[in-house]
């Protein structure tokens, strides 16, 4: 049988936003292309307060929206910083449901109470940290966090315990920020021959000056057993123009990639697109430049309610990234982060979205959906739970090669559960017993003894 030709809507992923779209924003009305593409201008004009937001979007939104944001900013655990590129990618006719607004601009009216089992460093990154700014959890790979600043701040950041300025609700833990601390991290890596793979994250390496990219890159390439490095940055998604205009930064990354290649070591960029609306002709040009330089770019998405938990949206994102030669690598369950229950989804949602996406494109461009198990179990395929109590929203994972013999529990957002389950979570002893039962059902030990 002949396969019928694909209908026109199947090509949606090839339709990339064009033109000077930023001119729809009052503050950017007279901004020309050269200025908008200037990464320094983007940094200087980032929105960090409700007043700056108002001065930028003016009458595109109702005063009640600004009031909602004002209270949202006050209660947020993360500092707020939104690039003009992101501001211009928001559909301001629907600010409450826009997927980019949802990620970066907190609104008090959308906040929900935290899950009772939520802690600030849910992944226990501080516990697996031998020196400040280095997390060594898996055998052969480590996470190096050399800075605490980012070009934008995401509401859902896993590292809200450390990233960005202190806020009214959180005092931040410092990561490795001084040359001495960097050296301690390099010394530790050099002392552990099993460490082959280093993720350089943060914060965001977009904010590292070119000479720091070279310092870190050279230091790690010089360690004989380090064979793979990844520079992690959300930059291409939130400020793609930097790749077109910050020549020193791009040249520094290119130099490390090329030096690594000559040494037989792989150096790549990992980025973080969450929604197709983040992609424009500027992104396309930036990704084309990296492709021409033979720099591999992989993507890690966070599954976020109202941003990409719709199977069609995720499918479009995956197809569009593949089209730009960005490999969709992971889709993460949203971590149990404070102040963002409105953004989390259930494990069932992830399972359903994964099922829909798989089969739409090349297997190597199909992301693995993972849950970074709270408590330091590391990333687990969302489908691999040992037990899933859907009624109470409790899933149990184990990680035999990471923390043998332990069980890790992830919790669906309470407001997505039925009224009876929601009521059960209100009683600490009942909640404790439900969790213990789920662990036993998963094959774990009975540890909870009712009073
Ligand atoms: C995610 C992560 C890594 C890298 O894991 P991959 O599955 O190889 O991408 C390394 N260390 C820590 C602590 C991590 O959270
Ligand atoms: S860019 Fe990464 S580290 Fe920075 S706020 Fe966003 S998620 Fe956190």
């Amino acid at each position: 049988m002949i396969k019928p030709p694909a209908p026109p809507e199947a090509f949606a992923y090839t339709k990339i936003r064009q033109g000077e779209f930023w001119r729809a924003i009052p503050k950017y009305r007279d901004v020309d292309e050269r200025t908008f593409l200037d990464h320094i201008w983007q940094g200087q004009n980032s929105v960090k307060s409700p007043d700056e937001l108002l001065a930028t979007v003016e009458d595109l939104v109702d005063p009640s929206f600004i009031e909602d944001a004002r209270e949202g900013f006050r209660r947020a655990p993360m500092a707020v910083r939104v690039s003009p590129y992101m501001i211009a990618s928001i559909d301001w006719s629907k600010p409450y449901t826009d997927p980019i607004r949802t990620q970066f601009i907190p609104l008090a009216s959308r906040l929900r109470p935290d899950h009772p089992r939520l802690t600030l460093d849910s992944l226990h990154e501080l516990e697996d940290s031998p020196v400040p700014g280095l997390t060594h959890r898996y055998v052969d790979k480590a996470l190096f966090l050399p800075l605490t600043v980012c070009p934008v701040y995401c509401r859902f950041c896993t590292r809200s315990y450390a990233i960005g300025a202190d806020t009214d609700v959180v005092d931040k833990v410092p990561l490795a920020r001084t040359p001495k601390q960097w050296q301690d991290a390099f010394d530790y890596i050099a002392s552990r021959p099993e460490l082959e793979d280093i993720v350089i994250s943060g914060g965001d390496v977009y904010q590292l000056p070119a000479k720091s990219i070279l310092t870190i890159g050279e230091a790690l390439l010089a360690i004989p057993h380090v064979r793979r490095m990844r520079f992690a940055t959300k930059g291409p998604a939130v400020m793609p123009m930097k790749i077109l205009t910050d020549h020193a930064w791009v040249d520094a990354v290119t130099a490390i990639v090329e030096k690594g290649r000559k040494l037989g070591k792989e150096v790549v960029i990992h980025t973080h697109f969450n929604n197709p609306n983040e992609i424009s002709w500027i992104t396309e040009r930036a990704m084309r430049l990296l492709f021409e330089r033979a720099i591999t770019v992989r993507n890690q998405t966070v599954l976020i309610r109202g941003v990409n938990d719709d199977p069609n949206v995720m499918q479009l994102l995956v197809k569009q990234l593949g089209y730009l030669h960005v490999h969709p690598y992971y889709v993460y369950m949203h971590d149990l982060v404070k102040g963002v229950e409105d953004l989390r989804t259930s494990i069932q949602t992830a399972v359903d979205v994964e099922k829909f996406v798989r089969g739409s494109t090349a297997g190597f461009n199909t992301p693995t959906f993972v849950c970074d198990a709270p408590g330091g179990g590391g990333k687990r395929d969302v489908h691999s739970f040992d037990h899933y109590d859907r009624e109470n929203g409790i899933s149990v994972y184990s990680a035999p090669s990471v923390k043998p013999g332990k069980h890790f529990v992830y919790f669906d957002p309470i407001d997505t559960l039925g009224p009876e389950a929601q009521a059960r979570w209100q009683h600490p002893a009942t909640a404790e017993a439900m969790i213990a039962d789920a662990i036993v059902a998963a094959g774990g030990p009975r540890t909870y003894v009712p009073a």
Side-chain angles (χ1 to χ4, degrees):
M1 204 181 83
I2 296 177
K3 201 169 173 54
E9 58 278 14
F11 295 92
Y13 67 93
T14 64
K15 308 272 180 303
I16 289 177
R17 187 159 34 116
Q18 302 294 325
E20 300 193 334
F21 53 87
W22 57 87
R23 291 192 190 256
I25 305 296
K27 186 167 173 215
Y28 314 149
R29 199 161 282 145
D30 299 320
V31 171
D32 60 12
E33 180 178 315
R34 200 158 152 264
T35 308
F36 196 71
L37 293 197
D38 178 357
H39 68 105
I40 295 172
W41 183 87
Q42 286 282 327
Q44 284 168 345
N45 287 276
S46 290
V47 168
K48 298 175 290 305
S49 69
D51 291 329
E52 286 172 356
L53 180 63
L54 179 59
T56 305
V57 299
E58 295 177 14
D59 55 1
L60 289 185
V61 290
D62 254 45
S64 63
F65 176 88
I66 297 289
E67 276 323 297
D68 202 350
R70 204 176 288 287
E71 184 55 23
F73 276 55
R74 233 188 323 266
R75 284 158 56 182
M78 281 299 283
V80 175
R81 182 179 166 107
V82 196
S83 60
Y85 177 73
M86 285 286 94
I87 293 280
S89 302
I90 293 173
D91 177 354
W92 289 101
S93 69
K94 303 186 198 101
Y96 282 94
T97 53
D98 182 88
I100 295 178
R101 193 290 301 158
T102 302
Q103 294 180 67
F104 302 111
I105 302 174
L107 295 178
S109 66
R110 292 301 193 260
L111 297 179
R112 296 196 172 89
D114 284 334
H115 194 285
R117 283 323 185 93
L118 196 144
T119 59
L120 198 49
D121 170 23
S122 84
L123 302 182
H124 291 206
E125 289 189 334
L126 297 171
E127 228 164 71
D128 284 332
S129 178
V131 295
L134 193 79
T135 299
H136 184 187
R137 165 167 310 142
Y138 302 94
V139 177
D140 71 346
K141 55 195 178 193
L143 180 62
F144 176 41
L145 308 171
L147 76 169
T148 61
V149 287
C150 303
V152 297
Y153 292 121
C154 313
R155 290 184 51 217
F156 49 88
C157 184
T158 298
R159 299 195 188 107
S160 59
Y161 66 83
I163 299 300
D166 289 345
T167 64
D168 287 353
V169 271
V170 181
D171 290 327
K172 310 281 162 157
V173 178
L175 300 180
R177 279 183 294 199
T178 65
K180 163 83 171 75
Q181 285 173 324
W182 287 11
Q183 191 55 50
D184 290 346
F186 302 148
D187 290 346
Y188 176 83
I189 295 166
S191 76
R192 300 299 291 254
E194 70 272 36
L195 283 176
E196 288 196 345
D197 186 343
I198 309 298
V199 182
I200 306 142
S201 182
D204 190 307
V205 300
Y206 235 42
Q207 303 308 98
L208 284 175
K211 69 174 187 341
S212 302
I213 296 280
L214 292 172
T215 305
I216 293 171
E218 303 270 356
L220 293 174
L221 287 177
I223 299 173
H225 51 261
V226 170
R227 294 182 62 81
R228 294 181 295 281
M229 284 160 51
R230 328 173 194 175
F231 284 108
T233 171
K234 196 171 165 66
V238 297
M239 203 189 281
M241 52 282 288
K242 179 175 164 103
I243 293 174
L244 301 173
T245 58
D246 189 348
H247 305 297
W249 190 89
V250 176
D251 288 347
V253 173
T254 308
I256 297 300
V257 170
E258 288 178 352
K259 184 163 186 183
R261 196 175 290 128
K262 293 212 173 71
L263 293 167
K265 302 182 179 211
E266 182 194 60
V267 182
V268 304
I269 292 179
H270 274 207
T271 190
H272 177 183
F273 287 90
N274 286 333
N275 181 277
N277 295 1
E278 295 158 10
I279 296 170
S280 71
W281 63 271
I282 306 170
T283 327
E284 188 173 23
R285 265 177 57 190
M287 295 303 98
R288 179 64 182 258
L289 186 149
L290 295 179
F291 187 73
E292 282 170 12
R293 293 190 176 198
I295 300 177
T296 298
V297 184
R298 302 192 191 111
N299 188 66
Q300 310 191 165
T301 294
V302 178
L303 186 66
I304 304 171
R305 212 194 302 189
V307 173
N308 54 23
D309 60 338
D310 174 318
N312 290 295
V313 172
M314 185 63 84
Q315 185 186 51
L316 179 62
L317 176 67
V318 164
K319 287 279 285 182
Q320 208 152 46
L321 291 172
Y323 186 68
L324 301 181
H325 300 307
V326 172
H327 302 298
Y329 173 41
Y330 278 145
V331 175
Y332 285 90
M333 285 309 291
H334 194 299
D335 292 319
L336 286 147
V337 175
K338 266 192 191 301
V340 287
E341 277 300 273
D342 56 314
L343 301 182
R344 293 202 305 122
T345 56
S346 64
I347 292 285
Q348 188 61 48
T349 303
V351 167
D352 295 341
V353 173
E354 197 277 349
K355 186 171 283 187
F356 188 79
V357 168
R358 187 161 296 277
S360 356
T361 191
F364 57 78
N365 273 337
T366 304
T368 305
F369 285 60
V370 293
C371 176
D372 207 338
K379 300 168 187 70
R380 300 281 91 199
D381 183 328
V382 288
H383 296 83
S384 72
F385 44 77
D386 299 316
H387 178 72
Y388 185 10
D389 169 359
R390 288 174 174 76
E391 194 185 338
N392 296 311
I394 305 173
S395 44
V396 186
Y397 291 88
S398 50
S401 298
V402 186
K403 301 267 159 86
K406 286 204 173 173
H407 288 83
F408 300 94
V409 190
Y410 183 83
F411 304 109
D412 293 343
I414 301 247
D415 68 286
T416 63
L417 306 175
E420 282 148 32
Q422 293 199 25
R424 269 176 237 133
W425 279 106
Q426 298 313 312
H427 300 280
T430 312
E432 215 41 63
M434 292 185 318
I435 298 167
D437 287 346
I439 292 173
V440 170
R446 163 136 332 255
T447 48
Y448 175 72
V449 186

